[in-house]
């Protein structure tokens, strides 16, 4: 099968790049329409502390996509020795800036900075990745109104739904329990009426559990860990992992080994990653509308 982007893909690929592109176009059209009503544009600010090359790539990609879709975007880069109070001061200023609608702090942060303190300092109204405890609480409570869901988990659900993959009643097994991916993706799958099992670093006999999965979401960051022994034939495999091995990007899943036994599978790159960015664009637009009251009819 030849995709719109010209890549040759097997038929069971969940093509995040393609779906993300469609979402960018939707956001772009909405913003063009908004442009006829108001000169104001949504603004996303992404904060990067340190010089991790992978984080630099992600941050630039986020900012560039925001501009491509017609938003304003700024990347604020700080050295690795930035203190927690310096970073808190930056966030306080951005919270008070009425021209900034979405604030994202690229994780992970250097170890001397407490992630919870930083994420909690972002105003919940500007928390574009939905990771503030208030927003995570709302997510857990199942609140649906004007809620920014965490970008990677929400992007995964959008991708599965785009391909009409049934979720209700399916056994979804999530590998990983981080606040940014594992926990919220399980909550979102539960909201879609899947039966959810979490596995993590202390889980015993994991393959016995994963082999029961109709949908397997892996977010461990362990390269190529998931081989055929972990998979029920016909399962849907979502690979969140981004790992660099010998200069090449690979996921948690040994794609070549399992792709023929999966009914659907995300590639790395080109699966979950682009969906994360597309959801970030949608979330920024949502926050802009909430804060300004400006929306396309
Ligand atoms: P994390 O390190 O915070 O969490 C990893 C999780 O994996 C932990 O909960 C841990 O318990 C679990 N784990 C570790 N070893 C395990 C094992 N042997 N079996 C089962 N579970 C195990 O990482 P994170 O921030 O959740 O990210 C996970 C991966 O997803 C990383 O590779 C990261 O780069 C990637 N990621 C990708 C995107 C994207 O947009 N594609 C977004 C965020 C994170």
């Amino acid at each position: 099968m030849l995709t719109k982007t010209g890549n040759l893909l097997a038929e069971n690929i969940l093509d995040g790049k393609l779906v993300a592109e469609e979402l960018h176009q939707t956001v772009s059209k909405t913003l063009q329409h908004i442009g006829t009503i108001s000169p104001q544009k949504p603004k996303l600010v992404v904060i990067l502390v340190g010089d991790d090359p992978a984080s630099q790539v992600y941050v630039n990609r986020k900012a560039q996509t925001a501009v491509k879709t017609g938003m304003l975007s700024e990347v604020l880069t700080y050295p690795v020795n930035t203190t927690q109070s310096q970073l808190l001061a930056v966030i306080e200023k951005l919270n008070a800036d009425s021209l900034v609608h979405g604030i994202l702090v690229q994780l992970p942060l250097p170890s001397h900075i407490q992630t919870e303190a930083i994420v909690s300092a972002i105003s919940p109204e500007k928390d574009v990745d939905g990771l503030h405890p208030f927003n995570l609480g709302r997510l857990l409570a199942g609140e649906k109104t004007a809620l920014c869901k965490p970008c990677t988990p929400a992007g995964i659900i959008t991708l599965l739904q785009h391909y009409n993959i049934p979720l209700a009643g399916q056994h979804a097994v999530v590998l990983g329990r981080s606040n940014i991916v594992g926990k919220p993706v399980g909550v979102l799958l539960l909201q879609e009426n899947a039966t959810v099992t979490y596995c993590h670093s202390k889980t015993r006999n994991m393959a016995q559990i994963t082999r029961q999965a109709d949908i397997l979401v892996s977010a461990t960051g362990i390269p190529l860990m998931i081989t055929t022994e972990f998979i029920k034939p016909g399962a849907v495999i979502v690979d969140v992992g981004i790992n660099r091995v010998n200069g090449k990007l690979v996921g948690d899943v040994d794609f070549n080994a399992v792709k023929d036994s999966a009914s659907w599978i995300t590639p790395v790159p080109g699966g979950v990653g682009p969906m994360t960015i597309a959801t970030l664009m949608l979330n920024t637009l949502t926050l802009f509308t909430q804060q300004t009251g400006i929306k396309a009819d």
Side-chain angles (χ1 to χ4, degrees), residues 58 152 175-182 199-203 206 218-222 225 239-243 252 272-274 276-277:
Y58 303 146
T152 300
L175 310 186
R177 53 176 165 180
S178 68
N179 285 344
I180 184 165
V181 188
C199 296
H200 47 78
S201 53
K202 300 284 188 283
T203 300
M206 204 171 75
S218 183
T220 67
I222 302 177
M225 181 180 83
D239 189 355
V240 187
I242 306 178
N243 314 288
D252 294 352
V272 175
T276 298
I277 296 184

Side-chain angles (χ1 to χ4, degrees), residues 172-177 181-183 185-187 189 196-200 206 210 213 215-220:
V173 175
V174 177
L175 310 186
R177 53 176 165 180
V181 188
K183 277 183 205 157
V185 80
V187 171
L189 285 162
V196 179
T197 303
Y198 286 97
C199 296
H200 47 78
M206 204 171 75
T210 57
I215 299 167
L216 181 65
V217 180
S218 183
T220 67

Side-chain angles (χ1 to χ4, degrees), residues 63-176:
Q64 284 159 6
T65 309
V67 171
K68 203 178 89 185
T69 57
M71 301 185 192
L72 300 173
S73 170
E74 196 175 352
V75 177
L76 301 178
T77 311
Y78 297 97
V80 70
N81 58 359
T82 303
T83 63
Q84 181 163 311
S85 45
Q86 282 169 330
L87 193 53
L88 287 172
V90 171
I91 292 172
E92 202 181 323
K93 212 167 146 206
L94 293 171
N95 282 342
D97 184 342
S98 63
L99 298 179
V100 173
H101 306 99
I103 304 169
L104 180 115
V105 177
Q106 184 68 32
L107 301 177
L109 287 165
S111 55
H112 65 277
I113 298 179
Q114 270 186 307
T115 303
E116 297 77 26
I118 298 302
V119 170
S120 304
I122 299 172
S123 158
E125 288 78 34
K126 298 191 179 189
D127 171 32
V128 74
D129 207 4
L131 296 178
H132 188 287
F134 177 73
N135 289 325
L136 281 179
R138 291 172 77 196
L139 183 80
L140 197 59
E143 241 183 75
K144 291 214 168 92
T145 5
L147 182 66
C148 271
K149 294 172 187 161
C151 295
T152 300
I156 291 170
I157 303 294
T158 307
L159 185 62
L160 294 172
Q161 288 175 335
H162 179 91
Y163 284 90
N164 294 318
I165 290 171
L167 301 176
Q170 300 295 297
H171 185 191
V173 175
V174 177
L175 310 186

Side-chain angles (χ1 to χ4, degrees), residues 12-90:
N12 64 343
I13 298 296
L14 297 166
D15 188 348
K17 200 171 164 198
L18 181 76
V19 179
E21 195 47 52
E22 286 176 14
L23 292 171
H24 296 159
Q25 282 169 20
T26 307
V27 171
S28 220
K29 277 191 195 136
T30 308
L31 288 174
Q32 279 167 21
H33 192 85
I34 285 176
T36 64
I37 308 166
S38 162
Q40 225 185 318
K41 289 181 177 185
K43 181 168 178 182
L44 171 69
V45 175
V46 184
I47 300 173
L48 176 64
V49 184
D51 48 16
D52 176 57
S55 291
Q56 279 168 350
V57 171
Y58 303 146
V59 159
N60 290 333
R61 209 169 281 163
K62 287 168 184 173
Q64 284 159 6
T65 309
V67 171
K68 203 178 89 185
T69 57
M71 301 185 192
L72 300 173
S73 170
E74 196 175 352
V75 177
L76 301 178
T77 311
Y78 297 97
V80 70
N81 58 359
T82 303
T83 63
Q84 181 163 311
S85 45
Q86 282 169 330
L87 193 53
L88 287 172
V90 171

Side-chain angles (χ1 to χ4, degrees), residues 272-292:
V272 175
M275 294 303 296
T276 298
I277 296 184
T279 310
L280 180 65
M281 300 305 121
L282 290 167
N283 282 357
T284 307
L285 184 57
T286 301
L287 294 184
F288 170 76
T289 299
Q290 278 172 28
Q291 287 161 47
T292 60

